[in-house]
């Protein structure tokens, strides 16, 4: 019995050794002699063991005998489908399997004509001991992206669209009859129509000519197109919207709570045109305050499944670039009928609170209303009244501010986190050229509006999501959720900040951990390491998303939270309005799976819009600094990679990069755990948060790239 076990073990070991050899050369055919030589087999018993192992591997389907005594790996044995994800820092591509299994490494040489984000079928190579799973793309099932932005290079008999290498490694070949009027040097959008493994370059056709490089409209449209976002409105959707009438008839008013006589106003940025929300305030006979949060009743005008609704869903959000807003809804709706403009009767969806002087909500009503705003305030105008106590509606604004401050204090006492990052804004001329940089700071007027919007969102989510009695199943709803921090990232943060003498809790109740993070943020304020530690703290947080699965909102310390207050610019708010109406009318719960799909689409589009906004800011930063070549600035290292360090300039928050090759004659190693790069010979270290002095060396608008030079 012992001998039999030994023979079985030897046979299995031989098979494993043979499989390892084929794993090194998965596409080659090998014969018995080559295998014996590779394994160092000389005796006859060893050769018989090799023959037996080859038979076993063929029986298992791992190998194919392509001719007598000749074998190769069965490359069709194991396939897995999933989505390709190129990891930016590691510069490696992995397949994320559909079934949630282990990631599969796909080398550049094994990508074929697949691109990042594509859904593909990958052939798995036999697993090598001590190595991660690896494979090669054998089929592109679905393209994540087929349209690309680039600059036309037109030759005598053909043309190419030169594309940013971050988007597409190969330029797109364009036949001359597919240029759609595009000329040499113009930025265009082209669609790939044909591409297989046999062709080095994809073949495409121009679908839109954006204009010449450097023109502001061309560049802003190019940024939108780069992220697959629309930059113009379909004419049929505009036409459908233009036919809609405000419809504020006596019959409609009777269906609603009439609040036209109540003191009401909007507070928005000075350049805003679409007013989603308004606030009303009046004292009640029983010594309380009635505070109304009134939201544009968009879904009264945009019916579910209509051509306007389908376009709004596709966009999912308005996009805010440096110089423009690309609206989710047609202008007739977003800036006209739905916008809560002053001195105009408007239909609203409202949450009306009754609260005391301590901001304790005694009761609330959620209802459709008709309102009439008395005044349109900019944030600056409202802030002036709060600071001076003078001007129209100063008394009402002061009371709202007093209540908002109490709500804010209560929120932080329950564990909300106080992340308040400075936002960069540009003053631009009529041609879109940036003239100066300023920083957007949240003052009391901003926080006033924020607190009442948060209260309305929380109230709506709680009203629908929280069961009224024990054992009751909550109806499907759209929540804005924010999960707890990543434990590993939080532990890394705690370990890293020890060197600066700071501490942060990583375990315990959510409120305790949040309080500890807030205490840390207070401690670092004004210190040289503030930027570094704030950045790392934000990175330890999860991203907020939309979901039907409610896990609460960690950052706000709310058990129930949704987005109800901005339906003009966010599709999830329209979804919330529709579900709210359905459930208030006694309707049955909707299908969770279907609505979760809507939520994911909205989250994805929100991320794309944020990426486009950042790209437009980056473009304007580079454009602004192009006239400042050679000037010297103080800055802070804001990012560290193995190819260089990123520096944010203190004066204007513009960010540029110093390449590793420009840091001196040394080999720099990237220490990801400690957020730094270190010179192997000199020991010189560049760490996230370090103060540096730099000179503006070069700007490249095409790549949105600002190159800096370190000043020793």
């Amino acid at each position: 019995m012992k001998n039999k076990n030994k023979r079985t073990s030897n046979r299995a070991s031989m098979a494993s050794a043979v499989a390892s050899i084929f794993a090194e050369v998965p596409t080659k055919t090998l014969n018995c002699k080559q295998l014996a030589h590779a394994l160092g087999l000389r005796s006859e018993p060893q050769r018989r063991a090799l023959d037996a192992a080859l038979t076993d591997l063929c029986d298992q389907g791992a190998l194919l005998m392509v001719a007598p005594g000749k074998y190769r790996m069965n490359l069709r044995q194991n396939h897995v489908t999933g989505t390709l994800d190129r990891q930016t820092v590691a510069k490696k591509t992995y397949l994320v399997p559909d079934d949630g299994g282990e990631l599969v490494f796909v080398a550049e040489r094994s990508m074929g004509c697949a691109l990042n984000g594509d859904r593909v079928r990958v052939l798995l190579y036999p697993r090598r001991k001590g190595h991660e799973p690896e494979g090669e793309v054998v089929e592109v099932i679905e393209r994540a992206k087929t349209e690309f932005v680039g600059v036309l290079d037109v030759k005598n008999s053909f043309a190419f669209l030169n594309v940013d290498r971050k988007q597409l490694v190969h330029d797109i070949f364009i036949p001359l009859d597919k240029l759609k009027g595009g000329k040499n040097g113009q930025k265009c959008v082209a669609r790939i129509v044909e591409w297989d493994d046999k062709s080095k370059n994809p073949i495409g056709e121009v679908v839109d000519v954006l204009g010449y490089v450097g023109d502001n409209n061309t560049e802003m449209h190019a940024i939108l197109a780069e992220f697959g976002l629309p930059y113009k409105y379909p004419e049929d959707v505009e036409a459908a919207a233009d036919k809609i009438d405000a419809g504020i008839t006596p019959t409609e008013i009777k269906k609603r709570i009439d609040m036209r006589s109540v003191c009401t106003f909007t507070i928005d940025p000075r350049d805003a045109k679409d007013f989603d929300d308004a606030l009303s305030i009046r004292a009640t006979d029983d010594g309380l305050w009635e505070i109304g949060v009134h939201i544009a009743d968009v879904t009264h005008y945009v019916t579910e499944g209509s051509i306007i609704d389908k376009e709004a869903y596709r966009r999912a959000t308005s996009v805010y670039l440096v110089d423009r807003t690309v609206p989710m809804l047609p202008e007739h709706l977003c800036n006209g009928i739905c916008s809560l403009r002053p001195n105009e009767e408007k239909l609203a969806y409202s949450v009306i609170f009754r609260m005391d002087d301590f901001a304790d909500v005694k009761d609330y009503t959620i209802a459709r209303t008709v309102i009439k705003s008395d005044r349109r305030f900019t944030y600056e105008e409202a802030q002036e009244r709060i600071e001076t106590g003078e001007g129209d509606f100063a008394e009402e604004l002061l009371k709202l501010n007093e209540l908002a401050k109490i709500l804010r204090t209560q929120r932080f006492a329950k564990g909300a986190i106080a992340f308040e990052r400075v936002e960069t804004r540009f003053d631009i001329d009529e041609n879109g050229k940036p003239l100066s940089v300023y920083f957007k700071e949240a003052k009391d007027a901003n926080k006033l509006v924020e607190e009442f919007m948060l209260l309305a969102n929380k109230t709506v989510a709680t009203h629908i999501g929280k069961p009224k009695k024990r054992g009751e199943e909550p109806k499907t709803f759209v929540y804005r959720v924010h999960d707890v921090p990543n434990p590993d990232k939080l532990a890394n943060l705690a370990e890293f900040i020890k060197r600066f003498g700071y501490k942060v809790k990583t375990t315990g109740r959510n409120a305790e951990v949040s309080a500890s993070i807030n205490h840390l943020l207070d401690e670092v304020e004004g210190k040289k390491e503030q930027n570094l530690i704030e950045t790392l703290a934000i990175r330890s947080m999860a991203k907020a998303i939309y979901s039907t699965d409610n896990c609460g909102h960690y950052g706000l310390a709310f058990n129930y939270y949704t987005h109800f207050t901005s339906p003009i610019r966010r599709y999830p708010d329209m979804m919330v309005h529709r579900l709210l109406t359905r459930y208030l009318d006694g309707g049955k719960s909707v299908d969770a799976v279907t609505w979760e799909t809507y939520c994911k689409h909205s989250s994805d589009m929100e991320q794309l819009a944020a990426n486009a906004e950042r790209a437009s800011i980056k473009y304007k930063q580079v454009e602004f600094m192009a006239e400042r070549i050679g000037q010297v600035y103080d800055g802070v290292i804001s990012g560290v990679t193995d190819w260089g360090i990123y520096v944010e300039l203190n004066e204007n928050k513009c960010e540029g990069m110093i390449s590793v090759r420009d840091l001196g004659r040394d080999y720099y190693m990237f220490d990801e755990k400690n957020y730094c790069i270190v010179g192997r010979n000199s020991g010189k270290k560049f760490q996230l948060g370090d103060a540096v002095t730099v000179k503006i060396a070069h700007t490249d608008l095409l790549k949105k790239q600002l190159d800096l030079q370190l000043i020793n």
Side-chain angles (χ1 to χ4, degrees):
M1 191 60 139
K2 288 182 181 178
N3 289 338
K4 184 178 180 182
N5 287 340
K6 187 175 181 181
R7 284 197 304 273
T8 303
S9 176
N10 289 342
R11 190 163 173 169
S13 298
M14 182 66 75
S16 177
V18 172
S20 295
I21 290 175
F22 277 101
E24 296 288 345
V25 286
T27 58
K28 285 193 174 182
T29 298
L30 301 174
N31 60 35
C32 292
K33 187 176 180 180
Q34 290 170 313
L35 289 167
H37 177 74
L39 293 168
L41 308 181
R42 293 181 176 83
S43 68
E44 188 59 31
Q46 288 176 323
R47 291 180 180 276
R48 284 200 299 270
L50 173 61
D51 288 339
L54 289 167
T55 300
D56 288 345
L57 289 170
C58 286
D59 290 343
Q60 294 164 13
L63 296 181
L64 293 174
M65 187 167 70
V66 296
K70 293 184 178 181
Y71 302 86
R72 67 170 172 80
M73 185 183 291
N74 183 4
L75 294 181
R76 296 188 177 275
Q77 183 191 16
N78 289 314
H79 292 85
V80 61
T81 59
T83 303
L84 292 173
D85 178 29
R86 182 167 176 79
Q87 300 184 353
T88 306
V89 175
K91 292 186 177 179
K92 293 172 75 174
T93 302
Y94 288 89
L95 179 85
V96 181
D98 292 339
D99 61 9
E102 194 174 0
L103 298 183
V104 179
F105 171 63
V106 182
E108 287 298 317
R109 65 181 180 277
S110 303
M111 289 280 286
C113 58
L115 302 171
N116 183 42
D118 287 353
R119 188 161 177 270
V120 298
R121 189 162 64 98
V122 162
L123 163 71
L124 292 177
Y125 298 154
R127 185 78 171 260
R128 290 183 289 168
K129 190 173 182 180
H131 289 72
E132 59 191 348
E134 187 174 349
E136 66 174 292
V137 175
V138 293
E139 181 188 0
V140 176
I141 299 171
E142 184 180 358
R143 291 272 184 208
K145 187 175 182 180
T146 58
E147 294 186 356
F148 294 86
V149 179
V151 179
L152 275 180
D153 180 12
V154 182
K155 307 295 185 185
N156 289 332
S157 55
F158 60 88
F160 279 100
L161 187 79
N162 297 323
V163 183
D164 186 337
R165 292 293 178 263
K166 292 177 184 176
Q167 292 188 61
L168 188 63
V169 176
H170 305 289
D171 294 328
I172 302 174
F173 176 83
I174 312 282
L176 291 183
D177 62 346
K178 299 294 182 182
L179 288 175
K180 203 177 180 180
K183 296 179 176 60
N184 188 57
Q186 287 188 319
K187 271 199 170 180
C188 297
V189 182
R191 179 190 299 120
I192 293 175
V193 294
E194 184 182 338
W195 193 20
D196 55 39
D197 292 340
K198 297 173 185 176
S199 307
K200 179 183 176 182
N201 294 89
I203 300 170
E205 61 183 6
V206 172
V207 295
D208 202 4
V209 179
L210 300 177
Y212 282 101
V213 172
D215 175 76
N216 186 64
N217 276 337
T218 297
E219 298 299 344
M220 293 301 106
H221 287 170
I223 286 170
L224 292 165
E226 179 185 331
F227 292 99
L229 297 168
Y231 45 89
K232 52 189 175 183
Y233 231 96
E235 291 182 5
D236 55 346
V237 180
E238 292 271 17
D242 289 342
K243 294 176 183 176
I244 296 175
D245 183 76
I248 305 177
T249 62
T251 303
E252 184 60 38
I253 291 172
K254 282 182 181 178
K255 300 175 185 176
R256 298 168 176 262
I257 297 176
D258 189 346
M259 300 191 71
R260 290 174 292 178
S261 62
V262 182
C263 171
T264 303
F265 41 75
T266 59
I267 309 174
D268 292 279
R270 60 175 181 254
D271 56 352
K273 295 178 181 177
D274 54 342
F275 309 137
D276 274 295
D277 55 83
L279 292 170
S280 69
I281 179 171
R282 65 178 169 187
T284 64
D285 294 337
D286 53 357
L288 298 176
W289 294 98
E290 181 192 86
I291 312 294
V293 178
H294 307 288
I295 309 302
D297 194 356
V298 174
T299 56
H300 174 80
Y301 298 105
V302 181
T303 55
E304 192 168 1
S306 67
I307 187 174
I308 301 171
D309 183 54
K310 287 176 180 176
E311 181 66 19
Y313 173 75
R314 186 172 74 88
R315 294 171 178 242
T317 180
S318 294
V319 184
Y320 296 88
L321 303 185
V322 166
D323 69 331
R324 70 193 63 198
T325 298
V326 183
M328 181 182 76
L329 295 170
E331 187 173 346
H332 179 63
L333 292 174
C334 67
N335 295 348
I337 287 177
C338 295
S339 185
L340 305 183
R341 299 187 298 197
N343 304 311
E344 294 181 14
E345 294 180 350
K346 296 290 180 178
L347 301 182
Y349 220 141
S350 307
V351 186
I352 305 159
F353 300 98
R354 282 173 19 99
M355 57 175 63
D356 60 22
D357 284 321
F358 304 102
D360 183 23
V361 176
K362 300 302 181 182
D363 57 59
Y364 64 86
T365 301
I366 302 174
R368 281 181 145 144
T369 60
V370 57
I371 67 167
K372 187 176 181 181
S373 173
D374 299 293
R375 176 74 148 83
R376 180 263 204 254
F377 282 104
T378 65
Y379 280 118
E380 291 79 10
E381 290 170 338
Q383 185 65 30
E384 183 184 0
R385 280 151 183 77
I386 290 170
E387 290 176 0
T388 65
E390 297 178 358
D392 54 338
F393 301 102
E395 185 179 340
E396 289 83 358
L397 281 165
L398 285 168
K399 188 63 194 181
L400 284 171
N401 188 51
E402 178 188 323
L403 295 170
K405 285 189 171 182
I406 297 171
L407 289 171
R408 187 174 175 82
T409 301
Q410 291 172 346
R411 190 161 57 83
F412 286 117
K414 291 178 180 176
I417 299 177
F419 284 122
E420 293 180 5
R421 304 286 281 179
V422 173
E423 293 183 42
T424 305
R425 292 289 184 267
F426 291 91
D427 282 319
I428 56 178
D429 66 15
E430 64 276 6
N431 297 316
K433 181 181 178 181
L435 304 174
S436 62
V437 180
Y438 66 94
F439 306 121
K440 182 180 173 185
E441 182 184 357
K443 295 187 176 180
D444 283 347
N446 304 79
K447 295 172 183 177
L448 181 163
V449 174
E450 178 187 30
E451 287 307 319
F452 283 107
M453 296 307 118
L454 291 175
L455 180 62
N457 286 332
K458 181 183 78 166
T459 300
V460 168
T462 306
H463 186 84
I464 299 299
K466 188 176 182 179
K468 305 295 186 292
K469 49 191 175 183
R470 186 174 294 179
E472 183 181 49
E473 281 291 317
K475 290 182 170 69
T476 297
F477 201 55
V478 173
Y479 299 96
R480 180 68 168 177
V481 299
H482 183 225
D483 211 345
V484 297
N486 181 298
D488 293 336
K489 289 183 179 179
L490 202 56
N492 288 343
L493 171 67
E495 184 64 30
F496 183 76
I497 63 176
K498 280 182 183 177
R499 70 189 65 189
F500 297 98
Y502 300 115
K503 294 181 180 179
V504 67
K505 282 182 68 70
T506 59
T507 58
R509 292 187 298 109
N510 286 353
E512 293 173 341
V513 175
S514 301
S516 178
I517 294 171
N518 281 335
H519 179 67
L520 172 67
L521 297 175
D522 289 339
E523 276 191 296
V524 301
E525 189 171 356
K527 309 280 179 62
K528 67 182 181 67
E529 62 269 18
Q530 177 180 353
N531 188 71
L532 163 65
I533 292 176
E534 281 185 349
T535 299
L536 296 181
I538 289 172
R539 288 180 185 176
S540 71
M541 297 289 126
K543 277 195 173 92
I545 60 170
Y546 298 104
S547 180
T548 57
D549 184 14
N550 181 40
C551 65
H553 197 294
Y554 178 82
L556 295 173
F558 291 157
N559 292 327
Y560 299 89
Y561 188 66
T562 190
H563 273 171
F564 163 79
T565 52
S566 296
I568 288 178
R569 62 185 179 90
R570 294 187 305 224
Y571 195 81
D573 301 56
M574 289 175 61
M575 292 160 61
V576 166
H577 281 216
R578 286 179 178 142
L579 290 178
L580 186 59
T581 301
R582 179 188 181 97
Y583 297 151
L584 290 178
D585 291 343
K588 292 182 179 179
S589 183
V590 295
D591 177 60
V593 174
T594 302
W595 282 73
E596 184 63 26
T597 302
Y598 301 159
C599 286
K600 185 179 186 310
H601 169 73
S602 297
S603 297
D604 291 344
M605 294 304 292
E606 177 188 41
Q607 186 60 57
L608 284 178
N611 292 343
E613 180 182 356
R614 282 193 289 269
S616 78
I617 292 171
K618 185 68 178 176
Y619 183 88
K620 290 301 174 187
Q621 285 179 342
V622 176
E623 187 179 5
F624 181 69
M625 299 306 294
E627 297 180 353
R628 290 157 178 80
I629 302 292
Q631 293 187 18
V632 176
Y633 294 85
D634 291 327
V636 175
I637 295 178
S638 55
V640 184
T641 68
D642 57 0
W643 59 85
I645 58 175
Y646 290 87
V647 176
E648 183 182 86
L649 308 183
N650 296 338
E651 181 181 309
N652 50 39
K653 302 300 179 186
C654 293
E655 187 181 61
M657 191 192 79
I658 306 171
S659 173
V660 166
R661 64 176 176 271
D662 295 329
L663 290 175
R665 295 182 178 179
D666 203 345
Y667 177 77
Y668 282 90
M669 296 171 292
F670 178 41
D671 183 350
E672 188 175 359
K673 186 175 181 182
N674 290 300
Y675 312 99
C676 64
I677 55 174
V678 183
R680 184 168 62 185
N681 301 319
S682 65
K684 177 68 176 173
K685 181 167 69 172
F686 296 94
Q687 188 166 54
L688 196 69
D690 282 353
V692 291
T693 301
V694 297
K695 182 167 72 175
I696 309 303
H698 178 69
T699 58
D700 187 332
L701 277 171
L702 270 177
K703 295 180 179 178
K704 307 180 193 72
Q705 189 169 306
L706 175 63
D707 294 327
L708 306 175
Q709 180 183 334
L710 188 67
I711 303 296
N712 291 329

